[in-house]
Amino acid sequence: MFLRDVLEGLGKQQKTLPCKYLYDEIGSRLFERICELDDYYLTRTEAAIFSDNMVDMARQIGPGAAIVEPGAGNCEKVQPLLEQLDSPRGYYPIDISPEILLAARARIIAQLPDLEVQASVGDFTRPEVWRELDDLAAGKTVLFFPGSTIGNFDPCQAGELLQFFATRLRSGDAILIGTDLVKDSVVLERAYCDSEHVTAAFNKNILARINGELDADFDLSLFAHRAFYHPLRQRVEMHLVSLKEHCVRIAGRQVRFAEGETIHTENSHKYSVTGFNRLLDEAGFAPIRHWSDLQQRYAIHYAQVA
Ligand code: AVI
């Protein structure tokens, strides 16, 4: 629950807010703008890797596969893959937002009328959402998980999520998953502290959301966006820094901020190819291959359930 999570996070020594709350309607729109920024190389690099290697990827997946996409959103990234695959058995997007998912389903059906498309509304980390997909049994299933979404889980939770995915699949099924690679901290920090300040607005919007939904009085001008690369933890951390000592009221309670104190709002973990292969392996997926860009900024991994 939003209020409980907010009070719990802001009651910790290092104040935190769960990053899933960054994505209300305004946050989701700001994130779409981030994806188009010159500084945010992830989205366009991933798109280029897909388009340069789509034939190869479809060949690797083989004929008659069912594609399941957890957290599918508007289902835009999967379409070129569905078009390239040899006789795909069906497409099964899962997303928490029914409006976006059902609109996307209608679009895909219009463009690929011979494909079976069955949308499931719900949180893809919950086993009950996957029950509807149990009768996919006959033939190969491939999970499509692009966007470096896995990077927003800490490595331990990421391993658990991959393991959860692996237990939903059968031997020979596979995952096609995008990860941002470890790289120069200047490039990374520019991506999360962009010159157009869209990421700053995205980060601060979580406070506006708390004000709007939880009867709080955050003054957004008293917080600054900060994002930095932590080389030991191999992650970009996003924080909101309190610019002076002050108190905020949230649903009748007072939360005190010291000058310079931060709220940690997001981690975005970066992996080496070897590091991510290890995570896949420990979760029950045998890494088969990966595709990357020339600058080695981003990788799309293909791994099979052993
Ligand atoms: C959604 N996710 C993969 C983004 C990332 O790069 O970690 C979220 C984001 N946060 C700030 N900019 C983008």
Side-chain angles (χ1 to χ4, degrees):
M1 199 183 93
F2 192 26
L3 177 61
R4 191 195 53 212
D5 290 348
V6 167
L7 291 176
E8 191 184 305
L10 296 182
K12 290 183 184 160
Q13 176 85 3
Q14 166 62 68
K15 292 182 167 62
T16 60
L17 288 170
C19 66
K20 64 179 177 186
Y21 293 122
L22 290 163
Y23 300 89
D24 63 348
E25 211 185 310
I26 296 175
S28 300
R29 252 186 276 129
L30 286 166
F31 179 61
E32 279 173 22
R33 280 182 57 202
I34 289 175
C35 292
E36 287 162 9
L37 293 170
D38 282 348
D39 290 333
Y40 192 75
Y41 60 86
L42 285 81
T43 312
R44 66 171 182 282
T45 309
E46 184 186 66
I49 300 171
F50 272 125
S51 79
D52 290 351
N53 299 284
M54 199 48 95
V55 174
D56 205 16
M57 290 178 183
R59 202 179 304 128
Q60 179 71 58
I61 291 172
I67 303 296
V68 176
E69 184 175 6
N74 61 18
C75 308
E76 258 168 20
K77 290 185 180 174
V78 77
Q79 192 145 339
L81 177 67
L82 295 173
E83 284 166 11
Q84 190 64 52
L85 283 172
D86 178 1
S87 333
R89 209 159 75 254
Y91 172 56
Y92 305 88
I94 307 172
D95 203 272
I96 198 111
S97 161
E99 297 82 18
I100 296 177
L101 190 58
L102 297 177
R105 179 178 173 273
R107 197 197 66 234
I108 293 192
I109 290 175
Q111 279 161 1
L112 297 163
D114 295 333
L115 185 73
E116 171 174 308
V117 182
Q118 187 189 310
S120 303
V121 176
D123 175 350
F124 66 76
T125 63
R126 312 284 319 157
E128 59 272 16
V129 181
W130 293 76
R131 243 165 253 142
E132 296 172 30
L133 302 174
D134 278 352
D135 46 352
L136 290 178
K140 180 171 180 171
T141 298
V142 176
L143 284 197
F144 182 70
F145 202 53
S148 190
T149 308
I150 196 75
N152 295 128
F153 295 81
D154 74 39
C156 187
Q157 294 171 323
E160 283 167 14
L161 181 62
L162 291 172
Q163 209 169 6
F164 174 80
F165 286 161
T167 53
R168 249 84 241 146
L169 299 171
R170 294 175 178 78
S171 174
D173 288 347
I175 188 167
L176 193 60
I177 181 167
T179 60
D180 195 19
L181 293 173
V182 171
K183 64 182 65 63
D184 183 62
S185 62
V186 174
V187 178
L188 283 169
E189 287 176 2
R190 210 185 300 126
Y192 292 84
C193 216
D194 64 274
S195 56
E196 292 169 56
H197 310 290
V198 184
T199 314
F202 171 69
N203 196 9
K204 281 188 176 195
N205 176 60
I206 200 166
L207 303 182
R209 180 176 182 184
I210 295 172
N211 282 349
E213 294 181 32
L214 299 180
D215 184 28
D217 64 356
F218 275 104
D219 177 345
L220 272 58
S221 71
L222 295 184
F223 287 88
H225 166 70
R226 181 188 291 163
F228 60 88
Y229 183 59
H230 192 309
L232 279 181
R233 297 196 171 136
Q234 296 192 338
R235 69 189 192 195
V236 174
E237 293 191 7
M238 217 165 65
H239 291 252
L240 288 163
V241 190
S242 166
L243 298 174
K244 67 170 201 185
E245 184 178 344
H246 70 292
C247 278
V248 174
R249 190 186 43 79
I250 306 169
R253 295 174 217 215
Q254 296 280 332
V255 180
R256 192 186 152 274
F257 289 89
E259 184 179 335
E261 186 176 9
T262 74
I263 311 174
H264 188 174
T265 48
E266 188 189 64
N267 288 319
S268 192
H269 290 266
K270 311 301 165 187
Y271 288 94
S272 64
V273 168
T274 338
F276 197 70
N277 280 347
R278 202 179 312 122
L279 202 68
L280 284 166
D281 188 51
E282 285 165 5
F285 285 102
I288 304 291
R289 60 187 297 192
H290 74 277
W291 296 267
S292 189
D293 55 303
L294 274 179
Q295 290 172 288
Q296 304 282 302
R297 286 187 162 183
Y298 195 93
I300 298 168
H301 300 256
Y302 181 82
Q304 241 166 15
V305 179

